[in-house]
Amino acid sequence: MRTTRKVATTLLALAMTFSVAACSSNGNGNSNSGGTASPAPTAGTDASASPAPAASDEPAWKQDTSPITFDWYLNFSWFNKKWGGDATADYITKKTGVSLNFIVPAGNENEKLNTLMASGSLPDFITLGWYEEGVRKMIEGKLVLPLNKLAEEYDPYFFKVGDPAKLGWYTKEDGNVYGYPNASSSPADYEKYGENFTSNQTFAVRKDMYEALGKPDMSTPEGFLNALKLAKEKFPDVNGQPLIPLGLHEFTETGNYSLEGYLQNFLAIPQVKDGKLYDRRQDPEYLKWLKVFRQANQDGLLAKDIFIDKRPQMEEKIAQGRYFAMLYQRSDFAAQNTQLYQKDPNMVYIAVDGPKNAAGDQPTLSGPGISGWTVTLISKNVKDKKRAIAFLSYLMSEEGNKDLFLGEKGVTYDTIDGKDQFLPEALELLNKDRTAFDQKYGASFTYWMLMDTNMNLQWAPPSVEPAKQMEDWTKGKSISMAEFDNLDPAATSKEGVAGSKNARAWGKALPKMILAKSDAEFDEIFNKYLKDRSEQEAIDAYRQAAYESNLKKLESLNK
């Protein structure tokens, strides 16, 4: 998803340019005790478990370019692109012989993936968020193959193009690597590009409305509520439909990203205190701001839409410009914001300072991490092991990333002024209509499964409005939160079962707290949630051990 080509951008930021508007399942830094964000670690994994075999300079994919079609499962119901029919996919198929048949769930992703796992007939490739329980299930169920073993036998080139830090991070206790990430940034990447990394987390307002109200300060509870009130009074409707003063991510059975990790990051609430994981949900600043949202609802400033709308409904309303403000992931409305910008640059959504803590500290937003966004695995049922690992190595390589980003020379890009860059007509379409660009050219990581968001900086064109303003706003506020990845216990463990139950309890309590008639009722609901949590001490102990393991692993990767 995720850009100025001369500087690094983050995984989530790049989502905007790459048409992957869907990382809302991660990247929010929501590491609450018993929380819903980062799933489970392999505690105690040694990043330097076993030395990699000698790498090869010769890619195995070149040895066989006969036609073959792989089935590739993407655990993202929003992905609707078919392979082929565009310049990039057709070029890669012509070059490697590989065609892809994408399989995407029509509804609930977890149900589809669980069904595939239960059937024992997983497709050749599987891509899903690194944070999803399905990753662990497939590995523990021996449904996927160790990539390092496949590479040793069929394609040592894998070890030449694989990032040692990423391979180390993803090495399991058995010494094997089962998945390779996209959009991953290692500690070394932070040293090289960090000051220019961006985040996907923004507080956005509709520019014309915000300016008409005198650019109010919305960083304090009083200013926040007053701005929503003024917006509703001055702009009661938008093209005959009611204004929605505030937009949030959708409410799910386990909570709401906007009101959890996003809000906590904007308030710069620490995730660790004195070396111990901190329950951000019990932080006084956080609870104070949740009560601000409760007050907003009591004052009639929260539309009922935000409690029931899913992403498709939100995208439609964003495209209509019906929200005044949004605590929202910018990549998820990049296409709609571009449409608004083309209609009228003043109607566009821009990033401004949102909620801050009482000290007025800058936000600590979730930047790119070494876990990346997704991981890709190869099924034990894969129809051709050698072709599969060879194609994966190709996609991971600089050659593959260049093909996926720039497409075919002379068709999508060319060497212009000494630099490989998009042809003017391709760049114009990319900036004007991402959907049309994907269908015609299929470049700029339309196929994002193995995209390297740092490698691509050498080819990426400069960011343009309206994306640039939001990207620039997050610079200097984005930090790595890699040490908080993979903290939760396995879903089938005693702690994991309790954690899932606690997460669902929070998912029920949160909207009730916002809808409470008074602060006293809010407190009653929250205290009941705390009291009803089960196995919390055991969950906290597991997460603490996993956190300390992550710190050791990151330290070893820095050596």
Side-chain angles (χ1 to χ4, degrees):
M1 320 232 325
R2 317 317 188 210
T3 144
T4 159
R5 298 329 152 142
K6 300 182 178 169
V7 297
T9 73
T10 77
L11 118 89
L12 295 174
L14 283 160
M16 302 181 66
T17 311
F18 306 152
S19 79
V20 188
C23 298
S24 46
S25 49
N26 172 245
N28 56 40
N30 182 20
S31 298
N32 305 293
S33 289
T36 61
S38 34
T42 308
T45 301
D46 181 0
S48 56
S50 57
S56 168
D57 289 331
E58 184 58 31
W61 70 263
K62 292 185 176 180
Q63 297 169 17
D64 185 354
T65 58
S66 61
I68 187 171
T69 299
F70 285 115
D71 294 325
W72 196 314
Y73 176 75
L74 295 153
N75 202 41
F76 299 93
S77 59
W78 51 265
F79 185 78
N80 58 11
K81 184 76 172 73
K82 304 296 184 187
W83 180 265
D86 60 73
T88 298
D90 291 347
Y91 169 60
I92 290 174
T93 294
K94 179 177 68 175
K95 179 175 182 173
T96 66
V98 176
S99 295
L100 300 175
N101 172 42
F102 289 133
I103 300 168
V104 179
N108 184 288
E109 286 94 345
N110 288 333
E111 288 179 8
K112 175 68 172 177
L113 186 58
N114 285 334
T115 300
L116 286 172
M117 287 191 285
S119 72
S121 57
L122 284 169
D124 303 300
F125 291 90
I126 309 101
T127 295
L128 69 169
W130 64 260
Y131 42 86
E132 296 184 57
E133 183 64 21
V135 177
R136 191 205 311 259
K137 286 182 180 178
M138 286 187 285
I139 294 171
E140 292 181 351
K142 302 191 183 303
L143 300 176
V144 290
L145 300 172
L147 301 182
N148 53 302
K149 298 289 187 186
L150 288 173
E152 287 170 15
E153 185 170 358
Y154 300 111
D155 186 20
Y157 183 66
F158 172 88
F159 298 106
K160 178 179 175 64
V161 297
D163 184 315
K166 296 170 190 176
L167 293 173
W169 182 253
Y170 276 98
T171 296
K172 297 300 181 185
E173 288 178 320
D174 62 3
N176 292 322
V177 179
Y178 294 89
Y180 197 81
N182 75 351
S184 165
S185 289
S186 68
D189 291 326
Y190 260 86
E191 288 183 18
K192 189 172 182 181
Y193 308 112
E195 65 181 20
N196 290 308
F197 276 146
T198 61
S199 175
N200 210 27
Q201 300 175 342
T202 51
F203 179 71
V205 293
R206 215 180 101 169
K207 183 175 183 288
D208 51 356
M209 294 180 181
Y210 182 68
E211 291 177 350
L213 298 178
K215 298 183 179 179
D217 179 3
M218 299 184 72
S219 66
T220 66
E222 301 75 21
F224 186 86
L225 289 170
N226 191 50
L228 296 183
K229 178 173 175 285
L230 291 174
K232 187 175 180 182
E233 290 173 353
K234 191 172 181 68
F235 307 101
D237 59 59
V238 177
N239 295 326
Q241 300 184 83
L243 175 80
I244 304 172
L246 182 68
L248 304 170
H249 279 283
E250 67 184 70
F251 281 85
T252 71
E253 67 172 5
T254 56
N256 184 303
Y257 296 124
S258 296
L259 297 176
E260 296 168 25
Y262 279 34
L263 179 58
Q264 292 158 0
N265 291 347
F266 268 83
L267 300 178
I269 296 171
Q271 301 194 56
V272 172
K273 284 191 175 183
D274 299 322
K276 298 294 182 185
L277 290 174
Y278 178 57
D279 186 353
R280 300 168 101 195
R281 282 187 185 153
Q282 296 190 63
D283 185 90
E285 283 278 353
Y286 174 59
L287 292 172
K288 179 181 82 174
W289 268 93
L290 280 188
K291 288 178 178 178
V292 172
F293 286 87
R294 187 211 69 77
Q295 187 66 49
N297 183 68
Q298 182 176 310
D299 295 346
L301 302 174
L302 295 187
K304 68 179 185 302
D305 311 52
I306 69 173
F307 294 98
I308 56 177
D309 282 351
K310 301 299 182 187
R311 182 168 161 184
Q313 290 78 44
M314 296 181 70
E315 288 180 348
E316 182 181 347
K317 291 170 183 176
I318 293 170
Q320 295 165 349
R322 287 184 60 192
Y323 296 97
F324 164 60
M326 293 185 286
L327 187 57
Y328 205 66
Q329 181 162 266
R330 61 189 175 84
S331 66
D332 279 13
F333 66 98
Q336 292 75 29
N337 208 29
T338 298
Q339 292 168 12
L340 288 171
Y341 184 77
Q342 288 167 356
K343 284 184 199 169
D344 181 353
N346 288 312
M347 278 181 66
V348 76
Y349 286 95
I350 58 170
V352 299
D353 285 351
K356 287 187 176 181
N357 62 31
D361 294 326
Q362 283 279 34
T364 51
L365 305 179
S366 178
I370 193 166
S371 294
W373 168 34
T374 70
V375 287
T376 293
L377 308 94
I378 294 178
S379 163
K380 70 171 185 178
N381 302 318
V382 66
K383 61 175 61 77
D384 187 321
K385 292 178 182 178
K386 181 174 182 180
R387 293 291 296 276
I389 189 64
F391 189 61
L392 185 72
S393 298
Y394 159 71
L395 295 177
M396 289 162 51
S397 71
E398 182 167 332
E399 178 182 11
N401 264 262
K402 184 175 182 180
D403 289 346
L404 288 166
F405 189 80
L406 285 179
E408 184 175 10
K409 189 167 188 176
V411 177
T412 311
Y413 83 96
D414 214 329
T415 305
I416 304 170
D417 298 328
K419 173 181 165 65
D420 288 344
Q421 54 187 297
F422 287 121
L423 291 166
E425 57 269 28
L427 182 59
E428 182 182 6
L429 188 58
L430 173 63
N431 290 331
K432 188 169 102 177
D433 188 336
R434 178 72 215 214
T435 302
F437 176 91
D438 290 351
Q439 294 303 322
K440 182 174 182 178
Y441 294 113
S444 189
F445 291 141
T446 296
Y447 307 104
W448 38 262
M449 298 84 79
L450 274 305
M451 67 179 178
D452 186 318
T453 49
N454 295 316
M455 189 184 291
N456 94 293
L457 296 168
Q458 59 192 302
W459 313 301
S463 277
V464 297
E465 298 300 353
K468 184 178 186 302
Q469 188 275 339
M470 289 196 180
E471 289 174 19
D472 289 347
W473 184 87
T474 69
K475 286 180 183 175
K477 306 179 181 77
S478 306
I479 63 173
S480 172
M481 298 183 177
E483 64 269 37
F484 305 110
D485 290 347
N486 273 339
L487 296 188
D488 293 340
T492 52
S493 68
K494 182 179 73 168
E495 296 87 353
V497 171
S500 297
K501 177 174 168 284
N502 295 345
R504 290 191 298 273
W506 171 255
K508 290 177 181 175
L510 182 60
K512 288 180 182 176
M513 289 156 63
I514 303 301
L515 293 166
K517 297 291 191 291
S518 65
D519 283 353
E521 184 184 343
F522 176 106
D523 290 338
E524 186 180 328
I525 297 166
F526 182 66
N527 289 331
K528 184 177 187 305
Y529 156 74
L530 290 180
K531 180 173 171 291
D532 290 347
R533 292 188 302 182
S534 57
E535 303 288 345
Q536 196 58 50
E537 283 189 16
I539 294 169
D540 290 345
Y542 182 95
R543 287 167 54 82
Q544 181 69 29
Y547 163 70
E548 291 172 6
S549 173
N550 279 352
L551 288 180
K552 289 177 184 173
K553 188 187 285 191
L554 286 167
E555 187 180 342
S556 72
L557 296 179
N558 267 325
K559 289 177 180 175

